[in-house]
Structures are given as C-alpha cells and as structure tokens.
Amino acid sequence: MNRNPLVAVLTISLLALSGCGSARLMTPAKALAPATRISAQAALALEKREFPTPDANKDWKVITGKVSKILPDDLNGSKHQHFLFVANGKTLKVAHNIDLAPHVPVEVGGDVEVKCEFIRSKPYDVAHWTHYDPAGGEGGYIKYAGKVYDRNELN
C-alpha cells in the first residue's frame, strides 16, 4: 500500500491537538497556540460598529455599594467610563458605555446602585451593560445621587 507522508503527519497532528491517542507532535509552540475565537455576533458588531447585545447566560443583578476609586475612561472603540465600587465587602469594576448613556459624575465615597450584566472576572468582577439596550432587550442603569443614568438624551 502506498501512503502519503503528508497525510500521515496531518493525521498525527490532528490526533495530538484533539487529545486523542498517544501521538505527541514536536512543533513550535506558536503552531499549537489556541486560535482566538469570537462569536459571529461580536465579529458582526466589530465589522459594522454595532453594539453587541448582552449575553442571556450571564447574571443580571442590582448591586449597591460605595465608589472606591475612579479609573481612567477607555476612549478606544466603544467609550466606557470605569470606576471601582465596594458591595458587601467585594470590589467590583464598572464598565459603563458612555456612547449609549451619560457619564456618571461619581465621587469616591458616594453611594451607587447598578443594574448590570454581572460578569465574573479577574482581578475584579465586572458590572457591564449599565445602560439601555439599543436592540430593545433588557438593559441596566447606574443610579447615583438620586439620578438614573441609563440613556443619552440623543437616544
């Protein structure tokens, strides 16, 4: 039987990468680096510069606490205001989209209430999607000093 060496190498490579069999392929680490995966929805959002919708599998929460640190705004891509707050002894990071909702004039020590998509992360869990959903789904807000920040006047 005539065997193609390229097919044999590819078969061994696939077995090694999938964890099947005992084959071990000695190739540069770069070749075995995992591919970056993004959802089709995220790719479309990047392409069209649309805002992604929240993930239904993530937890929606209303969390109250005290602002502990003001962080610099992220002005690349979708602009986000960032600050830390402490709720029940745990520090959380707010990522508030200021393209969709107004900048919140928080101050260290101020009381804040956040309705958000709660994302477990390191070093801080993240309070995300703190604004209305332009697609009409569930949205969040930030309540500070008696005012609700969830939607730009223009939206």
Side-chain angles (χ1 to χ4, degrees):
M1 182 181 284
N2 192 4
R3 295 185 187 244
N4 185 332
L6 181 58
V7 171
V9 169
L10 289 174
T11 301
I12 291 170
S13 299
L14 288 173
L15 287 171
L17 291 174
S18 68
C20 296
S22 60
R24 192 158 227 202
L25 185 62
M26 303 302 271
T27 60
K30 187 175 181 181
L32 296 177
T36 301
R37 292 184 182 172
I38 61 173
S39 69
Q41 180 181 5
L44 181 62
L46 288 172
E47 183 179 313
K48 292 186 174 182
R49 298 217 177 249
E50 294 175 353
F51 298 101
T53 57
D55 185 339
N57 295 324
K58 295 205 174 89
D59 294 332
W60 280 93
K61 296 188 180 210
V62 175
I63 306 166
T64 58
K66 287 206 178 285
V67 176
S68 60
K69 186 173 184 177
I70 310 297
L71 302 171
D73 293 347
D74 177 1
L75 302 177
N76 296 318
S78 296
K79 297 172 184 68
H80 282 76
Q81 175 183 7
H82 294 281
F83 62 89
L84 302 179
F85 73 106
V86 178
N88 297 321
K90 186 169 182 165
T91 301
L92 296 103
K93 180 179 180 180
V94 170
H96 179 64
N97 188 322
I98 52 178
D99 282 335
L100 295 175
H103 199 278
V104 183
V106 293
E107 294 180 3
V108 172
D111 292 321
V112 66
E113 177 181 298
V114 179
K115 179 182 178 197
C116 63
E117 177 187 57
F118 182 79
I119 302 170
R120 297 203 180 280
S121 185
K122 296 286 182 192
Y124 306 108
D125 291 336
V126 178
H128 183 253
W129 209 263
T130 56
H131 51 79
Y132 84 106
D133 181 355
E138 184 168 2
Y141 62 81
I142 295 176
K143 188 174 185 179
Y144 184 77
K147 184 173 178 185
V148 174
Y149 298 84
D150 66 345
R151 183 181 195 88
N152 273 333
E153 312 280 313
L154 302 173
N155 294 326

